Amino acid sequence: MAIEFSEEAQKEYEEICKHYPDKDATLLPALHLAKREFKTATPEVMEYIASLVGVDPIKVLNVASFYTWYPKEKEGKYVIQVCSTLSCSLMGAETVVDYIEKKLDIKAGETTADGKFTLKKVECLGSCGTAPVMQINDDYFESLTEGKVDQILDDLK
Amino acid sequence: MEEKYFLKNKDNPESKNIDFYVKNGGYKAWESVLEGKSPDEVIGEVKKSGLRGRGGAGFPAGMKWSFVPKDSDRPKYLICNADESEPGTFKDRYIIEREPHMMLEGIAIASFAINCHQAYIYIRGEFVYGAKVLDEAIAEAEARGCLGKNIMGTGYDLDIAVHRGAGAYICGEETGQIESLEGKRGWPRLKPPFPAVVGVFNSPTVVNNVETLANLPLIFNRGADYFAGIGPNAKNTGPKLYCVSGHVKRPGLYEFPLGKNLNELIYEDCGGIRDGHELKAVIPGGSSVPVLRPEEIDVSMDYDSLAAIGSMLGSAGAIVMDDTTCLVDSLLNLEQFYAHESCGQCTPCREGTMWMVKILSRIEKGQGRMEDMDLLDDVAKNINFRTICPLGDAAAMPAMSFIDKFRDEFEEHIKQGGCPIQKDKSIKVPNADA
């Protein structure tokens, strides 16, 4: 097998297994670790996860393809997810997306040529009281303005 | 009740730490339950308190627990539903990030009531920070002997594991959540059997919302009678978190007893509609519930009062829309959400949501036909109550209510061949200084 978890992730996975009576239930946690370790759920990664969890590779594909959180294609270093559902939309989410599209010279769904940013429009992030909102990788950024977007993106190396 | 329960430590970042929590009486309720009550007594107290589910359906919590068969030799499981994904809702995130021990203490009490030794917190994948806070809180509670093995020397064991979701709204539905926890697609199950009888890992399972569980320490610290005395009547009891988003001056999270007047919430607590504009519509309980017109908002925000006027309390996520809002555009936005989040199992929902998006898109673009109004209503009615899970109903209710209450605006689009509203798509951040 060409790829495998780092020792740290391997240990974490063993810890996770202790909480479940059925190993199949560790599939989502294993895919979360895989996202951290390998970024993209490539066929090779999914085969590795299948062997780890003890299920058929087709099951991993079946499950991974159902959820939006596991990228199937290579994404930028920073994945910008702008919430576009109603509460954010009322507060100007479309303008935020337009602004980032112009700033990065890409359309939503695309990655910059240097591989630094991917821009996505996503469904409700559950932060409607501080709309408009975006998530970059693991972090939330709330009450966005154009100035704030500039500052946040310019600070990312 | 002027005294706040959930938001009492709103300005104190220490609130998430166990030292702070214990110093302020934390885990006392859990201790009293462990040392002095039987599971049946706990269920009885919760029934007496009148606590109803805060996730949306409003089912009595004590009753839900009592459906777990006592004679089953299978292990019992509790799942805390922290998948908060209903558009307009952001209350559980506050509890998770700021009062994690209130939530863990509630999980412990509920677990004891159903004789469960393994509980899961199913948290939406995007809440990465929240999952970290919970992991730390669990480790703190175990280190203090409040969770883990032989809790407080009583011999009771309880393991709580944080299980992260992966971006699917449907996993907020309890049987979809159970499937997802088992490592599958979040495809809701046909009921019966209900999860209380056959849930996760083929075992009796209770799924309760974060806010529901976080109420339990209050019930066992202050008594069921105290809790039952909060709120407008015996069927609507306890403190409640209200989420307000959209075109008000002060959007955000508020706490009042159940039964807060919606008009007061919008015009007094949230400071009213932003300057120079008027209210057009409010969705009172998260995006899935029927919309209200301005003349309908003088209503008590409780399960029964909102049901009586044809809407629902839902998750108490009020989305406020002013006169710059195009309601065709808003409904289209919501139906795109449901079309994207439909799991695809049931034909009415999978196909119907897609057709609603197509019809609404053409009306918004000015290419609608008059007969599209009845067509849209017909599609919605053919989804409603015809699917395995309530996502279908959740997609149908906004459509049916928008058409019923704002038909003129839809027809105006069709007559004029375009959108008649002066839309304001600018970025509005009333909390920019916060």
Side-chain angles (χ1 to χ4, degrees):
Chain A
M1 186 76 63
I3 54 160
E4 57 179 25
F5 278 167
S6 62
E7 207 175 305
E8 189 199 351
Q10 183 64 43
K11 270 197 195 131
E12 259 178 81
Y13 179 67
E14 283 162 21
E15 279 302 309
I16 287 166
C17 288
K18 291 180 187 163
H19 300 294
Y20 301 90
D22 179 348
K23 214 176 169 198
D24 285 15
T26 65
L27 180 51
L28 262 63
L31 283 165
H32 278 293
L33 287 172
K35 179 175 174 170
R36 197 180 75 198
E37 295 268 302
F38 314 119
K39 306 263 189 298
T40 318
T42 60
E44 197 187 18
V45 167
M46 287 193 268
E47 274 188 47
Y48 171 66
I49 295 301
S51 66
L52 189 73
V53 177
V55 294
D56 291 331
I58 187 69
K59 175 166 178 180
V60 182
L61 174 65
N62 179 31
V63 171
S65 60
F66 182 78
Y67 298 96
T68 55
W69 188 253
Y70 308 122
K72 268 56 94 185
E73 312 263 325
K74 196 168 184 303
E75 295 184 327
K77 183 178 177 192
Y78 298 105
V79 180
I80 306 168
Q81 308 197 93
V82 183
C83 175
S84 302
T85 310
L86 188 56
S87 298
C88 278
S89 168
L90 294 171
M91 303 304 268
E94 278 115 285
T95 306
V96 172
V97 172
D98 288 347
Y99 184 75
I100 300 176
E101 284 183 337
K102 283 199 192 82
K103 185 175 167 74
L104 301 178
D105 195 23
I106 50 172
K107 291 276 165 208
E110 295 177 353
T111 300
T112 52
D114 61 1
K116 188 169 171 185
F117 294 109
T118 296
L119 176 64
K120 290 181 181 177
K121 287 202 272 188
V122 296
E123 304 293 356
C124 187
L125 288 173
S127 190
C128 324
T130 47
V133 172
M134 66 179 174
Q135 180 168 24
I136 302 182
N137 296 354
D138 290 350
D139 301 317
Y140 273 53
F141 297 92
E142 304 169 39
S143 303
L144 297 174
T145 59
E146 291 175 352
K148 232 169 148 174
V149 168
D150 278 338
Q151 200 189 338
I152 294 160
L153 297 189
D154 294 348
D155 281 351
L156 293 172
K157 296 288 170 247
Chain B
M1 189 191 72
E2 284 306 306
E3 195 185 335
K4 302 286 184 215
Y5 173 63
F6 296 107
L7 300 185
K8 59 181 178 288
N9 302 315
K10 202 168 138 234
D11 301 318
N12 192 338
E14 290 292 303
S15 64
K16 69 178 169 52
N17 301 329
I18 197 164
D19 288 339
F20 181 90
Y21 188 69
V22 167
K23 203 164 75 191
N24 290 282
Y27 288 108
K28 283 269 176 255
W30 175 217
E31 194 180 344
S32 72
V33 163
L34 259 186
E35 288 177 353
K37 288 193 167 43
S38 69
D40 280 342
E41 284 169 344
V42 174
I43 294 176
E45 283 283 291
V46 172
K47 279 186 177 167
K48 202 169 132 197
S49 76
L51 174 64
R52 291 170 70 173
R54 304 298 200 228
F59 196 80
M63 179 119 62
K64 198 175 200 178
W65 300 349
S66 69
F67 295 151
V68 172
K70 293 193 176 43
D71 51 1
S72 165
D73 53 7
R74 307 274 313 163
K76 320 290 186 297
Y77 294 100
L78 181 91
I79 305 175
C80 170
N81 186 344
D83 194 53
E84 186 162 70
S85 317
E86 173 76 2
T89 314
F90 45 95
K91 61 188 182 63
D92 296 340
R93 181 176 164 216
Y94 177 89
I95 299 174
I96 293 163
E97 294 182 0
R98 299 295 305 282
E99 296 286 357
H101 289 288
M102 192 187 268
M103 178 176 157
L104 296 179
E105 190 173 5
I107 292 172
I109 295 168
S111 295
F112 181 83
I114 60 163
N115 193 23
C116 151
H117 301 283
Q118 176 67 62
Y120 299 99
I121 299 171
Y122 188 103
I123 184 169
R124 64 178 294 180
E126 291 81 359
F127 287 174
V128 182
Y129 174 72
K132 188 170 154 263
V133 171
L134 288 170
D135 274 332
E136 286 167 5
I138 291 168
E140 281 182 328
E142 285 178 352
R144 265 192 191 243
C146 299
L147 295 176
K149 297 264 181 223
N150 187 21
I151 298 167
M152 300 177 198
T154 59
Y156 194 84
D157 299 339
L158 176 62
D159 181 69
I160 304 180
V162 176
H163 188 96
R164 292 179 57 210
Y169 171 71
I170 194 64
C171 295
E173 193 279 334
E174 62 180 10
T175 61
Q177 185 159 97
I178 286 168
E179 287 281 304
S180 178
L181 185 64
E182 288 182 351
K184 302 174 191 157
R185 294 179 154 228
W187 277 1
R189 295 177 180 173
L190 269 173
K191 294 189 270 194
F194 286 89
V197 181
V198 183
V200 74
F201 310 126
N202 269 321
S203 298
T205 303
V206 166
V207 184
N208 282 145
N209 168 262
V210 170
E211 188 188 355
T212 312
L213 292 166
N215 269 301
L216 298 173
L218 179 65
I219 295 172
F220 289 91
N221 277 325
R222 305 286 287 268
D225 289 332
Y226 169 82
F227 191 92
I230 302 169
N233 55 51
K235 286 192 165 165
N236 294 276
T237 62
K240 182 77 197 82
L241 288 170
Y242 298 90
C243 318
V244 186
S245 62
H247 296 143
V248 291
K249 283 187 187 153
R250 289 189 295 274
L253 188 62
Y254 294 85
E255 177 184 341
F256 296 101
L258 255 176
K260 175 73 181 173
N261 180 283
L262 178 57
N263 190 65
E264 252 177 55
L265 180 64
I266 292 174
Y267 285 97
E268 291 172 24
D269 302 286
C270 297
I273 306 305
R274 64 197 180 109
D275 287 332
H277 295 283
E278 280 176 27
L279 178 65
K280 187 181 212 173
V282 183
I283 303 177
S287 65
S288 306
V289 314
V291 67
L292 300 178
R293 295 174 62 100
E295 62 271 23
E296 294 176 297
I297 68 164
D298 186 15
V299 62
S300 165
M301 294 273 282
D302 64 65
Y303 300 102
D304 301 313
S305 302
L306 277 160
I309 60 165
S311 188
M312 285 169 77
L313 177 65
S315 57
I319 305 173
V320 180
M321 293 171 267
D322 74 13
D323 51 10
T324 65
T325 314
C326 165
L327 293 176
V328 178
D329 197 28
S330 295
L331 183 59
L332 172 60
N333 181 293
L334 290 181
E335 296 305 346
Q336 282 168 332
F337 172 86
Y338 293 110
H340 182 258
E341 299 297 344
S342 173
C343 80
Q345 273 195 112
C346 311
T347 312
C349 174
R350 181 187 65 239
E351 305 297 320
T353 50
M354 179 195 75
W355 277 105
M356 289 201 290
V357 167
K358 285 191 179 176
I359 298 165
L360 286 164
S361 299
R362 68 176 180 240
I363 295 175
E364 175 63 5
K365 280 188 207 142
Q367 296 157 356
R369 310 162 303 174
M370 254 333 155
E371 58 267 35
D372 281 343
M373 295 307 301
D374 289 337
L375 180 60
L376 190 59
D377 198 43
D378 188 52
V379 172
K381 285 185 175 137
N382 276 295
I383 301 173
N384 205 27
F385 300 133
R386 285 182 165 83
T387 53
I388 292 173
C389 89
L391 192 145
D393 313 342
M397 283 190 290
M400 293 186 296
S401 67
F402 271 61
I403 297 167
D404 179 39
K405 293 185 180 171
F406 298 97
R407 197 177 178 106
D408 291 356
E409 188 169 325
F410 285 73
E411 291 184 348
E412 206 50 42
H413 276 74
I414 297 167
K415 278 185 211 149
Q416 290 196 13
C419 179
I421 312 290
Q422 276 295 88
K423 282 188 272 199
D424 174 5
K425 295 272 182 183
S426 69
I427 300 175
K428 310 158 196 76
V429 184
N431 297 339
D433 50 345

